[in-house]
Amino acid sequence: MGMGYELAVKQALVVSIVLGVAVAGVEPSKKMMRLRQVPAMYVFGDSTLDVGNNNYLPGEGVPRANKPYYGIDLPGSGKPTGRFSNGYNTADFVAKTLGFNKSPLAYFVLKAHDKLIPSAITRGVSYASAGSGILDSTNAGGNIPLSQQVRLFQSTKAEMDATVGPGAVTSLLTRSFFLLGVGSNDLFVFTTELAKQNRSATQSDIAVLYGSLISNYSAAITELYELGARKLGIINVGPVGCVPRVRVLNATGGCADGMNQLAAGFDAALESLLAGLAAKLPGMAYSLADSFGLAARTDQLAAGFVNADSACCGGGRLGAEADCLPGATLCADRDRFLFWDRVHPSQRAAMLSAQAYYDGPAQFTKPINFKQLAQAQE
Ligand SMILES: *[C@@H]1O[C@H](CO)[C@@H](O)[C@H](O)[C@H]1NC(C)=O
Ligand SMILES: *[C@@H]1O[C@H](CO)[C@@H](O)[C@H](O)[C@H]1NC(C)=O
Ligand SMILES: *[C@@H]1O[C@H](CO)[C@@H](O)[C@H](O)[C@H]1NC(C)=O
């Protein structure tokens, strides 16, 4: 691609940003595509949202969805892309509801192809990284923790400013959608550490945990706000005690109630945090998506899932005694399993969640839904 083309693209971008027009880019418009609700989307979080960043991280201990049967249901390729799903993940479906064809590409993919700034300006960037937590210490060394994801966005923004000018960037970011989903890994690590010490959490352990999670989440959100984020869609922590990997530790196969209580307590603290931040940061709008309530209060059978406790791709009891790797057992109908592997939702479960966050029952989003957030005026 020559300089002339790059320049022309840049100029077109500047014009479209100034005019407030969403750029459709070079993709042919797809039938049934919804109009874009926002000019761009920036994604921060863990494996529920990662679209390939971890494939670029070095090291043995890095969680990567880079082998079959990950991606088996992705239209066209059926190949693994780094998504922890049989197809698209929650970030993709949130993006689809907002009028994009899928999640913005992963930061490292864009970097590798020299497309970071063109993408940052026309549709967004994903910084999400599997295994990451709110705390830097969570699975340290094997992921990009939330604080680093925010730092990568900060450096992206500096490059955007240098390319199209800070005024255009501020206008773009003000209208863009910032999607965040993180916290489960912090709770998994906390629980695993206590189990290693053969003890259960005291009230004081839990208070210390929530304190550091909330203070660091608060710092990350405030930093994003200072960089220009105004529309924040935040997914809370789901019932982590109900994932197959945790259930299989229970002789009855039931959910770990203690872990779910831990998640519910964190979610309550997150709700207060967001209300407090919105009250003190002028122009901040947010939607808190209740993934916990959605999972806990949905009749999964009525929603079309015949299996809501086992991994579709795995092995052994509840499909949870083996990773989803080549040679794993696959369930017969992947759309009828709530869980794809022993931790992550199936593509269909991710789709239903994203639809609920966009404009589903009001009880699953506070104080507004993703659609209202996307359409909110400054
Ligand atoms: C909390 O956030 C600060 C600022 O980003 C960071 O320096 C610190 O390492 C974080 N602490 C933990 C435990 O992650
Ligand atoms: C925890 O219990 C197991 C088995 O009861 C024992 O082997 C191990 O040493 C204990 N660990 C600690 C940290 O006490
Ligand atoms: C195991 O599951 C049962 C429900 O089947 C539940 O009552 C029990 O609390 C669970 N055990 C733990 C340790 O969470």
Side-chain angles (χ1 to χ4, degrees), residues 250 252 254-257:
N250 190 333
T252 69
C255 302
D257 299 328

Side-chain angles (χ1 to χ4, degrees), residues 50 54 57-64 129-132 136 138-145:
D50 189 351
N54 275 25
L57 297 182
E60 291 280 307
V62 174
R64 296 186 192 91
S129 169
S132 69
D136 295 357
T138 290
N139 301 322
N143 62 76
I144 318 163

Side-chain angles (χ1 to χ4, degrees), residues 66-356:
N66 61 351
K67 297 202 171 77
Y69 303 104
Y70 286 99
I72 187 169
D73 293 315
L74 274 177
S77 77
K79 297 231 163 71
T81 58
R83 288 169 171 79
F84 286 79
S85 170
N86 51 312
Y88 289 120
N89 68 17
T90 304
D92 293 305
F93 287 111
V94 170
K96 283 170 182 286
T97 61
L98 296 174
F100 299 88
N101 63 344
K102 61 181 176 184
S103 165
L105 298 185
Y107 171 84
F108 284 121
V109 172
L110 291 166
K111 268 291 218 204
H113 295 91
D114 221 6
K115 294 256 167 51
L116 177 62
I117 300 310
S119 181
I121 288 168
T122 58
R123 58 189 304 251
V125 180
S126 172
Y127 303 89
S129 169
S132 69
I134 295 165
L135 302 181
D136 295 357
S137 51
T138 290
N139 301 322
N143 62 76
I144 318 163
L146 180 63
S147 66
Q148 288 295 328
Q149 294 179 29
V150 172
R151 216 147 296 146
L152 290 176
F153 173 69
Q154 181 180 29
S155 79
T156 307
K157 186 198 175 273
E159 277 190 71
M160 292 163 74
D161 284 349
T163 308
V164 296
V169 173
T170 299
S171 159
L172 170 71
L173 297 182
T174 299
R175 292 173 291 118
S176 294
F177 197 97
F178 286 73
L179 178 67
L180 288 87
V182 64
S184 305
N185 289 314
D186 302 285
L187 303 188
F188 282 131
V189 165
F190 175 79
T191 307
T192 307
E193 284 305 314
L194 284 168
K196 276 189 202 154
Q197 297 169 24
N198 292 338
R199 64 186 190 92
S200 49
T202 62
Q203 284 310 308
S204 135
D205 292 328
I206 293 173
V208 168
L209 172 72
Y210 288 170
S212 60
L213 290 177
I214 291 301
S215 108
N216 270 39
Y217 214 164
S218 174
I221 292 168
T222 305
E223 214 170 312
L224 288 176
Y225 174 87
E226 282 163 359
L227 291 166
R230 290 296 178 271
K231 299 181 179 207
L232 298 146
I234 295 163
I235 303 172
N236 74 5
V237 173
V240 284
C242 292
V243 302
R245 192 182 78 187
V246 173
R247 281 176 181 266
V248 73
L249 303 173
N250 190 333
T252 69
C255 302
D257 299 328
M259 282 197 78
N260 286 346
Q261 279 158 21
L262 195 63
F266 169 74
D267 287 341
L270 177 61
E271 189 177 339
S272 325
L273 168 70
L274 292 172
L277 285 175
K280 78 171 193 216
L281 302 175
M284 170 181 156
Y286 73 96
S287 170
L288 175 59
D290 187 7
S291 80
F292 191 105
L294 186 64
R297 275 179 260 131
T298 298
D299 176 346
Q300 303 298 358
L301 200 58
F305 296 109
V306 297
N307 185 306
D309 64 5
S310 309
C312 170
C313 179
R317 185 167 165 250
L318 299 177
E321 292 175 332
D323 278 320
C324 177
L325 288 171
T329 306
L330 273 183
C331 65
D333 188 346
R334 298 186 279 277
D335 281 344
R336 292 190 164 273
F337 270 59
L338 186 67
F339 291 100
W340 160 242
D341 66 10
R342 51 190 183 162
V343 177
H344 303 99
S346 64
Q347 165 171 254
R348 185 160 174 278
M351 179 191 75
L352 293 177
S353 299
Q355 286 174 351

Side-chain angles (χ1 to χ4, degrees), residues 287-288 290 297 356 359-369 372:
S287 170
L288 175 59
D290 187 7
R297 275 179 260 131
D359 62 357
Q363 58 177 321
F364 299 128
T365 46
K366 280 181 194 145
I368 55 175
N369 62 32
Q372 292 163 324

